[in-house]
Amino acid sequence: MDHKVALITGGTRGIGRAIADKFAANGYDLILNYARKATNAEAAKQAIEEKYHVAVTTVKANVGEPEQISRLFQTVDETYGRLDVLVNNAASGVQRPLMEIQQKHWDWTMDINARAYLFAAQEAARRMEKNGGGHIVALSSLGAVRALPNYVVVGVSKAAVEAITRYLAVALAPMHVTVNTVSGGAVDTDALKHFPNREELLEQAARHNPAGRIVRPEDIAEAVYFLCTPAAFMIRGQTITVDGGLSLLAE
Ligand SMILES: NC(=O)c1ccc[n+]([C@@H]2O[C@H](COP(=O)([O-])OP(=O)(O)OC[C@H]3O[C@@H](n4cnc5c(N)ncnc54)[C@H](OP(=O)(O)O)[C@@H]3O)[C@@H](O)[C@H]2O)c1
């Protein structure tokens, strides 16, 4: 078995799917995790296998449940027996005005977006160390460092992601594992359907973006892939923003 293996959480649609395509195009076998939408998962598996001639295994697992994370990694062992890359991409979250946020909203969002990342990274690092090292990349958003409307719990969970990345980068370096975060501006995926101001966000992102267009899933995938190449060896614990320069502008 000489193909490298990448595990992408939430890798069956949206940005995760673009990341899956990028790794497949570069010869990686894939484990694509999803939570509910089996039809999307099956479509992704078929399309990627046909186009890139790599192996794709899909695993339904809610990363908000620690025992389901363990099961996901058991599948990695049973299917491929190695792991080279983990992309912590799956995310969920409750978007409400701050004064309406309840404890259950906080727990749901933090468990899926932040807690899952730390424990998945532990599982991944143990396996990567066995084959000489690997790469972990997590996804974040500008709400980690900005105060976006209705975004408090997701924003805080993404700030935690960026902090976890810094700690992991130091702790996992002796295991030859690099760890970084890619943060994005608004990308038109299903996730944006939950934003009450979706149209305004997209219109603003396209019209004002110094790069002249909105960020596409493929733009994020390029940065994630780069961070898993030898060229990025000395980049550790960083959050790389892929937004065409939009966040540089004053309102
Ligand atoms: N879209 C943006 O504007 C944007 C901007 C910056 C950063 N990001 C970040 O990029 C990442 C991907 O975003 P996206 O817009 O592509 O999301 P998306 O279209 O909503 O897709 C989410 C993916 O995650 C999976 N997922 C959701 N909850 C899960 C759980 N509990 N356990 C396992 N898998 C779960 C979904 O599986 P099912 O298909 O089964 O539901 C799906 O595959 C996220 O981390 C997001 O915060 C997005």
Side-chain angles (χ1 to χ4, degrees):
M1 178 81 90
D2 52 7
H3 282 189
K4 289 187 174 178
V5 175
L7 163 58
I8 300 153
T9 66
T12 55
R13 62 189 172 96
I15 292 168
R17 171 64 200 278
I19 296 169
D21 276 79
K22 181 71 191 172
F23 278 89
N26 284 279
Y28 279 75
D29 287 333
L30 303 176
I31 295 258
L32 302 183
N33 150 254
Y34 67 101
R36 291 173 305 270
K37 300 192 173 176
T39 318
N40 272 89
E42 195 44 43
K45 175 181 161 66
Q46 271 188 20
I48 293 172
E49 283 185 339
E50 265 173 39
K51 186 163 181 193
Y52 301 108
H53 308 290
V54 296
V56 179
T57 302
T58 57
V59 183
K60 182 178 194 296
N62 173 6
V63 298
E65 301 287 344
E67 65 279 5
Q68 295 194 33
I69 295 178
S70 303
R71 192 170 49 73
L72 174 60
F73 281 88
Q74 278 163 24
T75 310
V76 174
D77 297 340
E78 289 157 15
T79 314
Y80 298 116
R82 69 179 287 167
L83 185 66
D84 300 277
V85 166
L86 165 67
V87 183
N88 191 84
N89 168 79
S92 184
V94 179
Q95 301 204 23
R96 295 260 176 102
L98 185 143
M99 291 303 288
E100 292 173 19
I101 294 293
Q102 300 168 19
Q103 285 187 31
K104 65 180 180 189
H105 303 146
W106 171 275
D107 290 345
W108 170 269
T109 309
M110 294 297 281
D111 288 355
I112 293 171
N113 295 1
R115 187 178 71 181
Y117 175 32
L118 177 61
F119 292 103
Q122 285 181 349
E123 296 268 10
R126 287 187 197 108
R127 286 156 177 89
M128 289 171 181
E129 192 180 25
K130 284 187 195 148
N131 40 279
H135 309 284
I136 298 175
V137 181
L139 274 290
S140 185
S141 61
L142 292 173
V145 291
R146 294 275 178 97
L148 306 182
N150 301 325
Y151 203 73
V152 55
V153 276
V154 183
V156 170
S157 74
K158 293 298 192 182
V161 164
E162 295 179 12
I164 292 167
T165 287
R166 288 187 283 273
Y167 279 93
L168 287 172
V170 173
L172 304 188
M175 300 163 86
H176 308 290
V177 176
T178 72
V179 191
N180 288 288
T181 299
V182 171
S183 182
V187 185
D188 191 10
T189 66
D190 292 345
L192 249 62
K193 290 180 185 154
H194 304 295
F195 284 66
N197 56 341
R198 174 176 179 271
E199 293 303 324
E200 184 194 332
L201 258 177
L202 289 173
E203 192 269 332
Q204 215 194 350
R207 191 148 52 91
H208 297 303
N209 198 308
R213 64 163 171 82
I214 188 172
V215 183
R216 297 176 186 140
E218 295 74 21
D219 299 317
I220 307 273
E222 289 291 341
V224 170
Y225 182 75
F226 168 71
L227 290 168
C228 300
T229 62
F233 180 76
M234 290 302 281
I235 303 174
R236 308 285 177 115
Q238 300 304 304
T239 298
I240 311 290
T241 301
V242 179
D243 71 345
L246 188 64
S247 62
L248 301 173
L249 302 178
E251 287 301 308

